[in-house]
């Protein structure tokens, strides 16, 4: 009569089936809060940008309304009564966004805010803080960000006029470099003409000093 030999379970298999092993295999919510449990080589979630965070927290007093043909902004209150500081600067910072709806909200919000009555008086004092933000969009590697920055610069020049002249040199270096790209030659030339138109003869001297090949609209 043969005796059946019972093989004792291995140590590893017993550990695998134990409740303790099951708990280790299943990640706990608290693991996300413990830096020791985060895989440094895994893909980490990106932190929201400053504009995205402010928008998500309700810090931008307008929201995107999806239309059947085109989108529009819905303001929580008439933009005429909104203070430009810091809203206009925050919207300008949003021009560097690359995701929807932030791209639309920042671009359209900046444009609509500059259209309100009394915009020049509100925007001119902010120029020293606003210009570096616009420059950041103009030097951005993303072409669409650059185009939004260029459009915003033209809109600003329409509103503040010659007050922009003292800040032009900071911006023209970025435009002169982008002029080397053929696809931007026409929109940049058009923008320079608008800057000259609204900045007067003094702006032409500044533009020519940075971009000698520019031809004045007066020629």
């Amino acid at each position: 009569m043969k005796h059946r030999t019972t093989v004792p379970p291995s140590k590893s298999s017993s550990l695998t089936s134990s409740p303790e092993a099951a708990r280790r295999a299943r990640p706990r919510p608290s693991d996300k809060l413990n830096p020791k449990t985060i895989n440094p080589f895994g893909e980490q979630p990106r932190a929201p940008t400053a504009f995205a965070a402010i928008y998500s927290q309700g810090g931008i007093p307008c929201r995107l309304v999806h239309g059947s043909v085109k989108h529009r902004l819905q303001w929580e209150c008439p933009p005429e009564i909104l203070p430009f500081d810091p809203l206009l600067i925050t919207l300008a910072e949003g021009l560097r966004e690359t995701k929807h709806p932030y791209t639309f909200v920042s671009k359209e919000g900046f444009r609509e805010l500059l259209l309100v009555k009394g915009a020049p008086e509100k925007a001119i004092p902010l120029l020293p803080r606003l210009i570096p933000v616009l420059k950041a969009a103009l030097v951005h590697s993303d072409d669409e960000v650059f185009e939004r920055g260029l459009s915003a610069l033209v809109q600003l020049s329409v509103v503040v006029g010659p007050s922009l002249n003292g800040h032009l040199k900071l911006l023209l270096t970025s435009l002169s470099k982008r002029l080397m790209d053929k696809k931007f030659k026409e929109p940049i030339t058009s923008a320079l003409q608008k800057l000259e138109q609204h900045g007067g003869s003094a702006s032409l001297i500044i533009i020519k000093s940075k971009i000698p090949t520019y031809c004045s609209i007066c020629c």
Side-chain angles (χ1 to χ4, degrees):
M1 185 174 180
K2 295 182 178 179
H3 297 282
R4 181 179 296 174
T5 304
T6 303
V7 180
S10 65
K11 195 171 183 180
S12 59
S13 61
S14 62
L15 288 174
T16 305
S17 59
S18 68
E20 178 64 25
R23 282 195 297 270
R24 290 178 181 174
R26 190 184 307 118
R28 297 168 297 178
S30 60
D31 288 345
K32 297 179 180 180
L33 304 177
N34 184 358
K36 294 181 180 179
T37 63
I38 298 175
N39 179 7
F41 302 103
E43 184 177 351
Q44 305 300 328
R46 290 185 178 182
T49 60
F51 181 85
I54 294 172
Y55 181 81
S56 301
Q57 294 166 5
I60 308 296
C62 61
R63 282 293 177 269
L64 171 65
V65 177
H66 293 274
S68 56
V69 179
K70 58 187 292 188
H71 303 323
R72 65 179 180 87
L73 288 184
Q74 180 176 339
W75 294 87
E76 296 174 1
C77 60
E80 291 83 4
I81 66 175
L82 291 171
F84 275 32
D85 188 5
L87 181 56
L88 188 64
I89 297 172
T90 303
L91 290 168
E93 290 173 343
L95 296 172
R96 301 198 303 274
E97 294 287 343
T98 56
K99 293 184 179 180
H100 184 76
Y102 311 126
T103 51
F104 180 85
V105 172
S106 59
K107 177 183 177 180
E108 187 63 17
F110 188 89
R111 186 188 72 84
E112 292 187 13
L113 202 59
L114 287 178
L115 291 176
V116 304
K117 185 178 181 180
E121 293 79 8
K122 294 180 179 180
I124 289 174
L126 298 179
L127 287 178
R129 294 158 56 197
L130 191 57
I131 296 305
V133 178
L134 286 180
K135 181 181 179 180
L138 294 174
V139 299
H140 202 282
S141 59
D142 188 290
D143 288 348
E144 293 184 359
V145 171
F146 170 77
E147 289 170 349
R148 287 194 292 271
L150 187 65
S151 177
L153 174 60
V154 171
Q155 293 160 12
L156 184 64
S157 72
V158 174
V159 174
V160 303
S163 296
L164 189 61
N165 291 346
H167 307 274
L168 277 183
K169 287 185 178 181
L170 188 64
L171 302 169
L172 291 174
T173 302
S174 307
L175 298 186
S176 64
K177 291 179 180 178
R178 216 80 177 216
L179 265 174
M180 300 177 185
D181 191 332
K182 290 183 179 180
K183 65 183 174 183
F184 289 123
K185 186 173 182 179
E186 185 175 339
I188 291 177
T189 301
S190 175
L192 292 173
Q193 291 172 344
K194 296 288 179 59
L195 292 175
E196 180 190 354
Q197 176 184 346
H198 299 290
S201 57
S203 66
L204 175 60
I205 298 173
I206 300 170
I207 294 172
K208 292 285 285 184
S209 69
K210 289 292 183 180
I211 307 176
T213 56
Y214 171 72
C215 295
S216 173
I217 55 176
C218 299
C219 296

